[in-house]
Amino acid sequence: AKLAGRNQIAFFNPAMTRELARRKEIESELRGAIQRDELALYFQPIIDLATGRIRAFEALVRWFHPEKGELTPDEFIPVAEDTGLIITLGNWITRTAARACASWPGDVHLAVNLSPAQLRAPGAALGISAALRDTGLDPARLEFEVTESLFVEECHETTVFMEHLAAIGVRFSLDDFGTGYSSLHYINKYPFSTIKVDRSFVSGPATGLRTEAIIRAVAEMGATLGMEIVAEGLETADQVAGVRAAGCTLGQGYYFSRPVPEHLALRLLEEERGL
Ligand code: C2E
Ligand code: CA
Ligand code: CA
Ligand code: CA
């Protein structure tokens, strides 16, 4: 670091400068990516652990960049959030995912990730209602996944938004459960139907008796409160058996399927149901 001014140190180093340049580049290219048709939604099945059948698909966005190749959402969603592009992007995601779900059998649900900025934007609930109306999707088949980062700022709009959508039948799940600080507080305060136990509890290095006890306690609470408990990141048959024994009702992970493009999601459904 070199002295940039009185009492001020410039912390920029070459790696950070490169990172900044990359973000700038992603920002400017993301603006055109939707129009250029470079974005796609992939779908990962969420399995009913009691029956082994597909209960829902989670929509996960992908960006196939003509030069950079496939970019993961962790690379561009934060940029979209910082620049406000997430509003346009999020509307596209909800609409595209809802259209796909509307073509599936009626008991198959849809999970869509929602960024905090998306739901604080003025008219956010209107955009979602419009997507539901235009695609004809039954609101009861839609579940929004939010993380507790949504609640760091106490925000009246958040409550209004969630209650408005909950009133028309849309459900909410608390994603990445267990990675934050006060998840129990949020479960108590907001209308969540589902808890998604973070992958780190299932397949992290620290899994064992302790994490099993935690999952069991969460599942027990879920059962008492009438909530579904999804175990994320299931990669092995042992993990599936473990979370099932611990009382999780739903499971998701590479063991069942990786996220796949829409036509393969449809094929998974056809194979399962002999359609
Ligand atoms: P998330 O919502 O927690 O999504 C789960 C992530 O875990 C996905 O990564 C998924 O591909 C991955 N995963 C699923 N099963 C397994 C497994 O068995 N093992 C391992 N190692 N990983 C598994 P992905 O698609 O790269 O998404 C990363 C994050 O980006 C998501 O985490 C979510 O926070 C965000 N994201 C993805 N799509 C969207 C979107 O459409 N909108 C918003 N706002 N955020 C999104
Ligand atoms: Ca999620
Ligand atoms: Ca998650
Ligand atoms: Ca996550």
Side-chain angles (χ1 to χ4, degrees):
K2 73 166 198 259
L3 218 54
R6 217 154 62 101
N7 297 333
Q8 233 194 333
I9 293 173
F11 286 106
F12 289 107
N13 58 38
M16 287 173 78
T17 311
R18 267 198 309 279
E19 171 58 23
L20 253 165
R22 188 177 163 85
R23 282 179 77 104
K24 271 267 158 256
E25 209 175 296
I26 288 177
E27 177 186 344
S28 66
E29 293 179 358
L30 190 53
R31 289 182 194 280
I34 300 179
Q35 282 89 338
R36 289 193 302 271
D37 219 18
E38 293 169 11
L39 296 171
L41 289 187
Y42 273 38
F43 296 92
Q44 187 178 36
I46 298 173
I47 306 295
D48 184 330
L49 292 175
T51 62
R53 285 163 64 94
I54 296 170
R55 165 75 67 84
F57 284 96
E58 177 178 2
L60 293 158
V61 67
R62 297 288 179 263
W63 181 3
F64 297 98
H65 192 283
E67 287 115 40
K68 295 191 178 72
E70 185 181 336
L71 294 166
T72 67
D74 290 325
E75 287 178 274
F76 64 88
I77 291 284
V79 179
E81 287 173 339
D82 291 349
T83 54
L85 276 174
I86 192 68
I87 307 300
T88 312
L89 180 59
N91 282 337
W92 178 84
I93 290 167
T94 304
R95 196 166 277 269
T96 307
R99 196 180 304 126
C101 181
S103 76
W104 300 333
D107 60 331
V108 180
H109 292 212
L110 171 70
V112 174
N113 292 285
L114 213 57
S115 292
Q118 257 177 288
L119 120 200
R120 291 201 197 104
L126 278 178
I128 289 156
S129 313
L132 286 166
R133 194 188 51 231
D134 296 349
T135 57
L137 184 70
D138 177 359
R141 293 173 69 188
L142 176 62
E143 182 158 283
F144 282 119
E145 301 194 354
V146 299
T147 61
E148 51 184 76
S149 64
L150 174 62
F151 306 114
V152 271
E153 294 168 55
E154 193 71 53
C155 178
H156 180 62
E157 278 84 62
T158 303
T159 315
V160 172
F161 174 95
M162 289 182 76
E163 279 167 1
H164 173 84
L165 286 173
I168 62 166
V170 173
R171 290 151 50 101
F172 289 90
S173 66
L174 187 55
D175 204 353
D176 300 348
F177 180 86
T179 58
Y181 295 103
S182 37
S183 313
L184 295 177
H185 170 69
Y186 302 123
I187 287 170
N188 195 27
K189 182 158 181 212
Y190 296 94
F192 286 108
S193 322
T194 307
I195 293 171
K196 297 190 84 171
V197 179
D198 191 66
R199 186 167 82 227
S200 57
F201 288 92
V202 173
S203 51
T207 48
L209 274 178
R210 289 168 62 88
T211 48
E212 205 186 299
I214 293 171
I215 295 177
R216 201 176 289 277
V218 173
E220 208 165 289
M221 176 186 74
T224 308
L225 298 177
M227 302 172 82
E228 303 267 14
I229 308 295
V230 187
E232 292 192 296
L234 297 172
E235 295 181 352
T236 69
D238 281 354
Q239 289 165 357
V240 174
V243 299
R244 222 184 126 199
C248 294
T249 52
L250 299 166
Q252 182 179 4
Y254 296 166
Y255 175 77
F256 298 112
S257 168
R258 290 192 174 251
V260 294
E262 188 181 341
H263 71 279
L264 291 182
L266 197 58
R267 188 167 309 160
L268 287 175
L269 284 170
E270 287 168 354
E271 277 166 11
E272 177 184 281
R273 291 157 192 240
L275 298 174

